[in-house]
Amino acid sequence: MTERDMPKDPRVQALIKHAMSSKVTRRTLLASAGAGAVVAGLAACAPGASATITPAADTSAADKTLRWANWPLYIDVDDAGAYPTLVAFEAQSGITVDYQEAISSNEEFYAVVKDQLELGQDIGYDLMTLTDYFAARMVRRGVAQPIDMAAMPNVAANLSPGLANITYDPGRMYSIPWQSGLTGLGWNNADFPGGMTSVEELWDPLLKGKITLLNAWTDTIGLIMQSQGVNIDGDWGQDQFDAALEVVSKQVADGQVRAFTGNNYSEEFASGNITAAMVWSGDLFIMNTEAQSDKYGFAVPEKGGYLWSDNFMIPMGSAHKANAEELINYYYDPAVAAQVAAYVNYITPVVGAQEEMMKIDPALAANPLIFPDAATLARSHAFRQLTPEEDSAYSIAFEKAKVA
Amino acid sequence: MAFAAFASSAQAVDAAPRKSSKVALVLLAPGLAYLALFFLTPLIALILTSLQAPALYGDMGEFVYAFRWENYVSVVNEYGDTFLRSFGYALIATVAALLVSYPIAYFIGVWARKWPVVQAVALILVIAPFFISFLLRTLAWKQIFSDDSWTMETLKALSILGPDAHFTGTPFAVIFGLTYNFIPFMTLPIYTTLERLDTRYLEASGDLYARPSTTFFKVTLPLSMPGIVSGTLLTFIPASGDYINASGDFLGGPGTQMVGNAIQSNFLVILQYPAAAALSIMLMAVILVIVAIYVKRSGTEDLI
């Protein structure tokens, strides 16, 4: 049976995978029995290939708690360090929320919770906010609970039509967007008074060692592929990926790239180590607020930006699904969404938030980073759905290209 | 054998009792159980992981137990130069740390003997950095040497560095970080041997018309060899496996990857557990061989 013969339905795929893996396990166990009981015991207790798992029983009605893993600086914070929208939610719903800034990289968060997640056990969080390519992996592997749209009238009414369907999760059965954002170019205005319009400007020899690219391959390769004229949402394959990767390898070998970063490019900018970088839209706004001037500029490249979302997902092992749905529903109230967007400055997926924002701060309602204009959105794309083989091969190839 | 060398370099121990007693076995049991549980079991698990093969139709990070020794071949092919770089950086850092630490240790252990207060203060200064997390200290160096810092401005103004030069993200910065972070581990063992140095030997050497430099190389240095050997081991072994200094978030850059960084990215980012495990085992094996040869060559068994 070749991979091409695999049925398309993920559930059936999981069953086949399970059957295949148990066959291998039996042989392995026999082999290791010869090597001693200790070895066999180890082989048995280590996690193997995933079996089909089912949602944990929901105890939300009796247990009014919720544990939410989110990214740093990704919710509204007041001067006292509290989260105003979350406090209001707790008061209104009676649910105690344990909010943790636990995710600073999809990869590392996943690596930490992976074993429990795949066995359907409690991972310590009831709600996690993962970026598209990881959300896709969760859906594909069947480790996310189906979310009940009927329990979330605000989501049904206000989810931005452009996000209502996504290739990896048609109909949004497992994932609901928390915030969206654009990957583009960021620069220090003192060095680039005219701004930047294309990815190629980053490869200027004058910027040797003064730029950073992003850690996640989807961001960096997504921008480079588009600069090479590839429609990342359309039909592309290994050749187009390789052409983009070649650019990364060359720039790394030439010493052009100072580092690959996550949010910490803000520190590199602040200490003068870099003057331009691939960045996420909302961060530049916060950096300007911190610098108390328009020190930094941001633009979506002419040839195309990368549009991503971070998505609410409920792991299979969570026993608080109804509580999680109540929280998601709450954040889809346009007034609440506007309050969050006013702080985090990413693109809100909630229709009606712009009108609510007019009441909070008209300047922000006109901010193209929070409410991008049609032209910007038209040249911003997400990746088409990736096969598991592509996901794995591209992640590995990019990780290896990041070092000289 | 490295361990044999260590054993014989230690103070003479009473010969083991000839009769094996049950009591001794019972007393040993907790220690042995601890070793089995927390050293042997993880080691076996690591070896088993390093031989795993990708699962059939498996997704990323799914592996099954197998005997895929090719994992080691591919790891050597792919990360051979990373290994060389790691050991190169660790070696340079060890030598640099030795050159910095020896005078410090000599000052505290020999010169300052007459002033116990000076000795105590100097020792505290050596140990004080441990009170702050080494992550923070390494980040502080990154700030101190950032491109807009006055340190860099000064170095550029003095033409020590070119106008476009930068420090962080270079091999030099990584070696600097390694040296800095391991200086206490080098200083303290050397200090303990020098502190016991009988200065009458030095006087005798002088009485026999040896020049100070001859006295140092023929008397002081050999007598402090045990401290140098343990100091260099305490520096070289962790330095070769270090992944903080060389990481892009700290002092390194894309061109400074060490084995520790390769293990971290294979394990946590691309979920290639067998490759990560194979790298760890290789690192362990190579260090063991290097240390064995070193300890044998340095001839510690003849000292003390």
Side-chain angles (χ1 to χ4, degrees):
Chain A
M1 194 182 196
T2 65
E3 282 156 38
R4 293 188 189 277
D5 295 335
M6 287 284 276
K8 287 274 179 276
D9 189 320
R11 297 273 160 189
V12 182
Q13 277 185 3
L15 280 173
I16 293 175
K17 231 163 54 183
H18 182 47
M20 304 299 289
S21 69
S22 60
K23 192 169 75 188
V24 179
T25 309
R26 210 173 302 132
R27 200 198 314 140
T28 320
L29 277 172
L30 280 175
S32 46
V38 178
V39 175
L42 276 171
C45 66
S50 63
T52 311
I53 50 173
T54 50
D58 194 346
T59 60
S60 291
D63 186 7
K64 291 279 184 197
T65 61
L66 182 71
R67 298 157 301 169
W68 177 10
N70 203 359
W71 297 67
L73 303 176
Y74 215 21
I75 196 169
D76 52 319
V77 185
D78 64 17
D79 291 339
Y83 310 111
T85 54
L86 212 49
V87 170
F89 171 73
E90 288 183 317
Q92 162 192 328
S93 65
I95 296 171
T96 311
V97 182
D98 177 13
Y99 181 82
Q100 297 284 338
E101 295 185 341
I103 312 177
S104 60
S105 142
N106 287 293
E107 283 82 1
E108 299 203 353
F109 178 76
Y110 177 68
V112 170
V113 300
K114 180 173 178 285
D115 290 347
Q116 284 84 353
L117 191 66
E118 311 230 307
L119 291 171
Q121 294 170 357
D122 182 18
I123 63 163
Y125 302 104
D126 302 307
L127 198 57
M128 47 191 182
T129 324
L130 296 176
T131 312
D132 285 331
Y133 68 117
F134 258 80
R137 203 183 275 181
M138 302 292 142
V139 173
R140 192 171 80 214
R141 306 192 62 139
V143 297
Q145 294 196 33
I147 301 177
D148 186 5
M149 195 62 96
M152 305 180 296
N154 286 346
V155 180
N158 299 330
L159 174 60
S160 163
L163 291 165
N165 269 300
I166 190 143
T167 47
Y168 63 80
D169 184 14
R172 291 285 181 188
M173 286 168 68
Y174 304 96
S175 64
I176 305 287
W178 160 240
Q179 302 288 315
S180 299
L182 292 164
T183 305
L185 304 167
W187 61 84
N188 190 329
N189 278 326
D191 300 291
F192 295 90
M196 299 175 89
T197 53
S198 76
V199 173
E200 281 77 12
E201 287 173 66
L202 290 175
W203 318 142
D204 183 341
L206 288 174
L207 297 181
K208 187 176 174 190
K210 300 294 272 184
I211 64 154
T212 56
L213 303 181
L214 288 164
N215 256 333
W217 76 266
T218 42
D219 288 303
T220 298
I221 297 290
L223 279 194
I224 296 177
M225 275 172 70
Q226 297 193 72
S227 78
Q228 295 175 333
V230 177
N231 175 13
I232 59 170
D233 198 12
D235 192 24
W236 57 271
Q238 187 74 42
D239 292 345
Q240 285 76 17
F241 176 84
D242 287 344
L245 193 69
E246 182 59 38
V247 174
V248 177
S249 303
K250 182 179 181 302
Q251 300 306 332
V252 167
D254 290 352
Q256 187 79 8
V257 183
R258 182 69 164 258
F260 288 84
T261 68
N263 299 77
N264 52 334
Y265 50 72
S266 57
E267 290 142 35
E268 303 281 353
F269 267 117
S271 58
N273 288 348
I274 57 169
T275 56
M278 286 188 183
V279 300
W280 295 311
S281 53
D283 283 9
L284 266 284
F285 194 91
I286 293 182
M287 284 160 62
N288 276 338
T289 313
E290 279 174 4
Q292 294 181 339
S293 69
D294 279 344
K295 193 175 172 192
Y296 303 105
F298 172 87
V300 172
E302 293 280 324
K303 288 208 167 164
Y306 173 58
L307 177 65
W308 46 263
S309 303
D310 289 330
N311 307 280
F312 283 120
M313 303 197 93
I314 307 173
M316 275 295 186
S318 160
H320 303 104
K321 175 172 170 275
N323 291 348
E325 284 164 351
E326 194 168 343
L327 179 127
I328 300 172
N329 188 53
Y330 166 78
Y331 276 104
Y332 266 75
D333 177 339
V336 179
Q339 213 178 327
V340 174
Y343 182 84
V344 302
N345 295 297
Y346 279 103
I347 304 169
T348 174
V350 180
V351 171
Q354 192 161 14
E355 290 71 33
E356 290 293 330
M357 188 70 97
M358 291 295 285
K359 297 179 199 161
I360 302 175
D361 185 346
L364 286 177
N367 186 329
L369 294 184
I370 306 177
F371 303 102
D373 52 55
T376 307
L377 280 181
R379 61 175 204 272
S380 303
H381 303 274
F383 271 109
R384 68 162 168 80
Q385 189 173 15
L386 300 163
T387 65
E389 292 77 28
E390 287 176 323
D391 181 12
S392 165
Y394 295 161
S395 310
I396 293 172
F398 182 67
E399 192 64 15
K400 298 193 167 163
K402 274 155 71 173
V403 291
Chain B
M1 218 10 232
F3 300 116
F6 277 125
S8 58
S9 71
Q11 298 283 336
V13 185
D14 289 335
R18 295 262 163 215
K19 275 189 226 163
S20 61
S21 86
K22 290 218 168 100
V23 180
L25 272 178
V26 171
L27 287 174
L28 266 177
L32 290 178
Y34 179 88
L35 271 183
L37 197 60
F38 294 110
F39 178 71
L40 219 52
T41 320
L43 191 65
I44 293 172
L46 197 64
I47 292 173
L48 286 178
T49 308
S50 74
L51 296 169
Q52 283 181 336
L56 220 57
Y57 298 123
D59 204 331
M60 210 174 164
E62 286 187 339
F63 295 91
V64 290
Y65 285 100
F67 187 72
R68 198 164 183 268
W69 55 270
E70 295 94 325
N71 287 345
Y72 284 88
V73 179
S74 64
V75 155
V76 170
N77 285 336
E78 195 171 339
Y79 294 104
D81 46 351
T82 310
F83 268 99
L84 288 180
R85 188 184 295 132
S86 295
F87 291 121
Y89 286 1
L91 184 68
I92 300 173
T94 307
V95 172
L98 178 62
L99 293 178
V100 175
S101 296
Y102 201 93
I104 300 176
Y106 195 86
F107 170 77
I108 308 174
V110 183
W111 280 338
R113 275 185 199 177
K114 280 172 256 168
W115 308 286
V117 178
V118 176
Q119 228 176 355
V121 170
L123 267 181
I124 288 170
L125 286 179
V126 170
I127 300 167
F130 281 126
F131 291 106
I132 304 168
S133 155
F134 85 104
L135 293 178
L136 289 179
R137 283 184 278 126
T138 312
L139 271 181
W141 281 116
K142 185 177 183 174
Q143 285 300 312
I144 291 171
F145 285 110
S146 67
D147 289 14
D148 278 357
S149 63
W150 65 265
T151 330
M152 291 300 281
E153 302 285 343
T154 313
L155 289 172
K156 285 174 188 170
L158 295 172
S159 297
I160 293 170
L161 289 175
D164 294 330
H166 55 82
F167 180 78
T168 61
T170 62
F172 189 71
V174 176
I175 294 169
F176 174 86
L178 288 172
T179 309
Y180 162 77
N181 276 312
F182 288 107
I183 276 179
F185 295 93
M186 183 69 91
T187 310
L188 294 177
I190 299 180
Y191 158 74
T192 34
T193 48
L194 283 178
E195 196 221 357
R196 290 186 311 227
L197 179 75
D198 191 338
T199 46
R200 286 174 301 178
Y201 287 132
L202 308 185
E203 288 161 19
S205 171
D207 290 347
L208 293 167
Y209 296 100
R211 276 176 294 140
S213 63
T214 315
T215 305
F216 177 76
F217 285 111
K218 297 271 182 190
V219 181
T220 317
L221 197 62
L223 283 177
S224 56
M225 264 326 264
I228 294 177
V229 170
S230 30
T232 43
L233 290 179
L234 281 178
T235 303
F236 182 80
I237 296 174
S240 15
D242 184 86
Y243 76 101
I244 297 298
N245 289 286
S247 132
D249 292 342
F250 291 86
L251 296 169
T256 64
Q257 171 172 262
M258 292 174 70
V259 177
N261 305 97
I263 295 172
Q264 191 250 6
S265 94
N266 271 291
F267 207 98
L268 284 181
V269 182
I270 50 179
L271 311 180
Q272 300 297 299
Y273 304 129
L279 278 170
S280 311
I281 302 243
M282 293 273 305
L283 180 66
M284 219 186 298
V286 176
I287 289 182
L288 209 60
V289 170
I290 293 178
V291 167
I293 294 172
Y294 173 69
V295 172
K296 198 110 191 146
R297 280 288 177 84
S298 67
T300 37
E301 40 281 65
D302 305 330
L303 296 163
I304 296 192

